[in-house]
Amino acid sequence: MKIALLGYGRMGQTIEKIAISRGHDVVLKIDKDDRDYDITKADVAIDFSLPSAAYGNITNCINNNVPVVSGTTGWLDNYEKAVALCKEKKGAFIYASNFSLGVNIFFELNKTLAKMMSNLSQYNVTMEEIHHTKKLDAPSGTAITLAEGVIENNANYDAWELNETNNKTSIPIVAKRIEDVPGTHSVSYKSEVDTINIEHIAHNRQGFALGAVVAAEWLVGKTGVFSMNDVLNIG
């Protein structure tokens, strides 16, 4: 495939290495908030840009009939507009807060546990996410996805809040920034007698990058709005 990388930071550079190792060509690398590029030279685009650039990148791809995979977080106020445009143009689009194959299994495990805990109101759920100091948004998109997974499957919760909360129906998400941490996410259910904890620890960026390339390979030739569950045939 001919791949456009929209965002060429550390993640984009890791994606490039994996894409080339899998026999693909990287034909476009956009490192800034720049709309002046020819996306049509690519078979598929992978967007790991800035929140301010993501929506423009995605709509540019859709308007030019280029399938697009996006892992940028912090732009989701415009997500439904991107979905509507994709359906209107009969494009192809995947957004995921995290493309790691392991994290997407973790998402499903989180939903299953939330459902099991729904009738056990003596347990209070909390979440923690730790990322490198260059991550701009907090909480992480992955943490938000985990919180949404609990809210959808556990009637005791209807919202999430960053850091501490006094609202018993809101999930507190503690966000920490520590240098050189690729990503750690934990979900804890605590009662007076015990704690149940599930955790995913990324050792490097390779898992995120590989998942994004696998998603791009899967998306080419398809029409519609998809998720990593479709790519991995889980959930």
Side-chain angles (χ1 to χ4, degrees):
M1 300 186 304
K2 295 178 180 179
I3 297 175
L5 295 178
L6 308 179
Y8 195 62
R10 288 185 293 178
M11 181 61 72
Q13 293 169 33
T14 305
I15 290 171
E16 180 182 31
K17 291 176 183 176
I18 288 178
I20 291 171
S21 74
R22 292 172 70 90
H24 306 303
D25 295 322
V26 175
V27 296
L28 188 65
K29 293 181 280 191
I30 302 299
D31 193 26
K32 303 292 183 182
D33 188 358
D34 180 10
R35 306 281 178 83
D36 188 21
Y37 55 85
D38 182 10
I39 195 65
T40 62
K41 66 174 67 174
D43 299 320
V44 64
I46 300 177
D47 169 72
F48 275 85
S49 59
L50 298 173
S52 59
Y55 179 65
N57 286 335
I58 292 163
T59 56
N60 187 35
C61 291
I62 293 171
N63 282 324
N64 285 282
N65 198 33
V66 175
V68 57
V69 168
S70 178
T72 305
T73 57
W75 68 277
L76 292 184
D77 287 348
N78 288 316
Y79 174 76
E80 292 302 331
K81 289 195 290 185
V83 167
L85 179 66
C86 185
K87 291 178 179 177
E88 176 191 344
K89 299 287 186 176
K90 295 182 170 54
F93 173 45
I94 294 176
Y95 166 77
S97 60
N98 195 312
F99 280 94
S100 161
L101 309 185
V103 163
N104 281 277
I105 293 170
F106 188 62
F107 285 155
E108 295 306 308
L109 178 62
N110 172 62
K111 292 176 185 177
T112 299
L113 180 58
K115 198 174 297 182
M116 293 172 67
M117 301 299 290
S118 189
N119 294 324
L120 300 174
S121 59
Q122 67 268 37
Y123 286 88
N124 296 315
V125 65
T126 60
M127 295 187 181
E128 181 180 87
E129 59 99 339
I130 308 172
H131 281 88
H132 51 87
T133 53
K134 293 185 178 180
K135 184 166 181 60
L136 299 178
D137 55 318
S140 67
T142 300
I144 292 172
T145 300
L146 288 166
E148 289 173 345
V150 173
I151 291 165
E152 290 167 6
N153 292 280
N154 189 316
N156 298 310
Y157 298 95
D158 57 16
W160 61 265
E161 294 182 37
L162 182 61
N163 297 320
E164 298 302 322
T165 176
N166 293 320
N167 185 346
K168 290 185 177 181
T169 65
S170 188
I171 302 166
I173 304 175
V174 177
K176 297 180 180 179
R177 296 293 174 261
I178 300 173
E179 193 169 355
D180 295 329
V181 176
T184 297
H185 294 85
S186 63
V187 182
S188 297
Y189 290 82
K190 186 176 181 180
S191 74
E192 290 185 356
V193 297
D194 60 9
T195 298
I196 300 170
N197 185 68
I198 58 173
E199 183 178 57
H200 180 275
I201 301 172
H203 301 307
N204 51 53
R205 293 178 180 80
Q206 300 291 323
F208 310 127
L210 174 61
V213 175
V214 168
E217 292 170 345
W218 183 89
L219 186 61
V220 170
K222 293 182 174 63
T223 300
V225 178
F226 303 100
S227 70
M228 281 300 286
N229 281 14
D230 298 307
V231 177
L232 300 175
N233 195 27
I234 59 174

